[in-house]
Amino acid sequence: MPHVVFVAPRFLENTNRYVAAFAGLDGVTLSVVSEDPAESVPEALRPRVAGHYRVGDCLDGAQLTVALRALGKGVGRVDRLAGALEQLQLPMAAARDALGIEGMGTAVARNFRDKDRMKEVLRAHDVPVARSALVATSRALRAFVARVGLPVIVKPPAGLGSRATYRLESWGDLEAFENGPGAPTSSRPVQVEQFVRAKEHTCETVTVRGVPVWRSGTRYFPTPLEALETPWVQYCVLLPREDDAPPFTDFHPVNGAALTALFGDAARTAAGTALTHMEWFLRDDGSSLVSEVGARPPGVHIMPMMGLAHEVDLFARWAELIAFDRFEPVRRRWACGAAFLRGHGDGSRVASVTGVQAAVEAVGDALVEMRTPKPGQPRADGYEGEGWAIVRHANTDGAKHSLKTLIERIQVTYA
Ligand SMILES: Nc1ncnc2c1ncn2[C@@H]1O[C@H](COP(=O)(O)OP(=O)(O)OP(=O)(O)O)[C@@H](O)[C@H]1O
Ligand SMILES: [Mg+2]
């Protein structure tokens, strides 16, 4: 029986879905590493958790290594190490390297986690990406801009949630950036990229030992960057009903080439068994570019949406994939969408939430799940806002219409 160790920093709602998925899998021994104490393991899952080890910081590869060594002694040899969060991927890789656990090691994990290296690797394999550079000085930043032109995007080399990501449109913007807290330094270099004017999509890919066996995709409305730049717009993610339609299928060869490049020599090993989340751009001329790839399940509710759209439990399928190198492809039956509910105006807390009843009535059966923002809740700083809703419809237009209804009718204000 394979011994799988899952890293769940805190037993929060989303993380618990992954723990539950492994706990529900027949034929595996499950251990959990967390920062929360053993008593916090959800009660229903406890009988299935063979070992628990508490660490101070799950993002510290050395602490994970100590935990895995102990679980290896106490419970049995560790066969697989898994975790869903982006920030865990490098520390987990370091622990795998230290203990000889099969799966993604540091060399491959860095291809996914370091945005500069990712683009270099993709470029070297002729995968289309935006022009980019990692710059440690204003001079290098200016040299890049002189070469490529404005606008450019600046972001942290290992960013997430679009934090500290900005579009610089003018030399004035550039100067302000250089004089601000995000200015490039040798200890805090900046990833700078040619700005790509395009629609933004995702491609979720299941690979078994490097071979793609199943794909799903979504479209962002608007792009996360536009959502951050424009505080009054609401961010939505659409998973269309069609699973065999361009432009998604046209992108598949690029997706395959990109994953092969990033997995590198390790593709045919357990490192190449993954559910990856790729963000990509589709330009008006039909060409596509890879933006970035996470070697982990997608966020922004794409996991539950993929499950709903294909009538399977994708969390359970991911657990099975990781534990057994096995994935049974599924066909799509529904379109799904996620609407993110975000407040308007100034202020640091949610003041009012109106229109919920009317929106719920208008959307009807298409509404699957909703978490409305609550008055008094602190303002969130990202594009995901303070609440969300997931919809499902027999066709793509129906899902789009439901999303539109929700974001138009539900009004959240701050004060
Ligand atoms: N070169 C680019 N051209 C145009 N837009 C870009 C470019 N790079 C990034 N963006 C925009 O900025 C957003 C955030 O960038 P990126 O995905 O690299 O950062 P991230 O912090 O990993 O974000 P997230 O966790 O939200 O995916 C992208 O989703 C996209 O909308
Ligand atoms: Mg991104």
Side-chain angles (χ1 to χ4, degrees):
M1 229 166 30
H3 179 200
V4 179
V5 177
F6 187 79
V7 185
R10 313 279 319 280
F11 294 105
L12 301 175
E13 191 184 3
N14 193 43
T15 307
N16 289 346
R17 295 171 105 153
Y18 290 98
V19 182
F22 280 103
L25 204 56
D26 283 334
V28 300
T29 304
L30 173 65
S31 293
V32 180
V33 175
S34 71
E35 293 169 18
D36 279 342
E39 304 85 78
S40 311
V41 176
E43 208 171 329
L45 308 179
R46 250 175 252 164
R48 282 288 287 128
V49 177
H52 174 269
Y53 196 96
R54 187 180 187 185
V55 295
D57 181 3
C58 281
L59 302 185
D60 179 349
Q63 292 187 38
L64 286 185
T65 305
V66 169
L68 289 160
R69 204 170 268 135
L71 289 167
K73 276 210 189 92
V75 179
R77 198 181 74 113
V78 177
D79 298 295
R80 290 285 184 278
L81 172 62
L85 293 181
E86 174 76 12
Q87 311 92 297
L88 284 173
Q89 302 309 316
L90 265 178
M92 287 195 308
R96 287 191 199 100
D97 283 346
L99 299 171
I101 298 169
E102 269 192 83
M104 197 172 285
T106 313
V108 178
R110 278 183 56 213
N111 287 349
F112 286 93
R113 191 71 188 109
D114 173 337
K115 291 185 193 218
D116 183 55
R117 176 161 153 156
M118 178 188 297
K119 290 217 162 54
E120 291 298 331
V121 169
L122 294 176
R123 232 175 255 127
H125 288 79
D126 292 324
V127 176
V129 291
R131 295 175 71 181
S132 66
L134 187 68
V135 296
T137 61
S138 287
R139 216 171 125 197
L141 174 60
R142 279 174 178 254
F144 180 87
V145 173
R147 230 172 25 249
V148 169
L150 289 163
V152 294
I153 294 282
V154 285
K155 55 179 141 177
L160 74 164
S162 306
R163 268 172 233 135
T165 299
Y166 308 102
R167 173 191 343 210
L168 308 181
E169 294 272 0
S170 63
W171 287 94
D173 287 350
L174 182 71
E175 206 174 312
F177 179 71
E178 285 169 345
N179 293 321
T185 61
S186 50
S187 61
R188 213 189 40 238
V190 167
Q191 171 80 359
V192 54
E193 295 182 10
Q194 163 194 34
F195 177 75
V196 180
R197 205 170 297 284
K199 299 183 177 108
E200 199 167 333
H201 294 78
T202 72
C203 183
E204 280 64 50
T205 311
V206 171
T207 46
V208 175
R209 298 200 171 245
V211 179
V213 295
W214 183 77
R215 290 183 176 96
S216 176
T218 73
R219 163 103 189 261
Y220 293 157
F221 290 101
T223 71
L225 180 69
E226 284 166 324
L228 275 183
E229 287 176 344
T230 324
W232 49 267
V233 308
Q234 308 289 322
Y235 171 61
C236 292
V237 180
L238 179 78
L239 197 164
R241 162 69 183 86
E242 302 71 29
D243 59 3
D244 55 358
F248 290 94
T249 47
D250 292 347
F251 180 70
H252 291 175
V254 180
N255 168 262
L259 293 175
T260 300
L262 296 170
F263 288 136
D265 293 342
R268 302 282 159 177
T269 71
T273 293
L275 168 57
T276 49
H277 166 57
M278 182 176 293
E279 295 179 314
W280 60 280
F281 296 119
L282 177 65
R283 289 194 287 214
D284 286 346
D285 66 4
S287 63
S288 55
L289 298 175
V290 172
S291 175
E292 63 152 353
V293 200
R296 53 155 176 96
V300 290
H301 301 300
I302 295 175
M303 281 297 273
M305 285 202 284
M306 288 198 298
L308 288 161
H310 300 86
E311 295 183 347
V312 292
D313 179 347
L314 237 294
F315 292 90
R317 294 301 189 98
W318 180 68
E320 183 186 343
L321 171 75
I322 299 304
F324 297 112
D325 269 348
R326 191 167 73 204
F327 189 89
E328 201 61 48
V330 282
R331 289 310 302 261
R332 202 169 301 164
R333 314 241 172 247
W334 301 84
C336 284
F340 292 87
L341 305 170
R342 184 158 70 141
H344 294 203
D346 296 325
S348 57
R349 289 189 178 272
V350 172
S352 69
V353 184
T354 56
V356 175
Q357 195 55 35
V360 169
E361 277 164 24
V363 173
D365 288 346
L367 184 65
V368 179
E369 214 182 332
M370 176 155 71
R371 199 63 54 87
T372 49
K374 301 278 172 289
Q377 193 178 331
R379 180 185 188 135
D381 56 1
Y383 49 80
E384 294 191 39
E386 294 80 24
W388 50 268
I390 294 177
V391 299
R392 175 163 87 165
H393 199 278
N395 60 62
T396 305
D397 278 343
K400 262 190 201 171
H401 185 74
S402 301
L403 290 175
K404 187 164 175 282
T405 303
L406 288 167
I407 62 174
E408 280 176 359
R409 301 224 176 163
I410 300 177
Q411 296 292 320
V412 181
T413 61
Y414 298 126

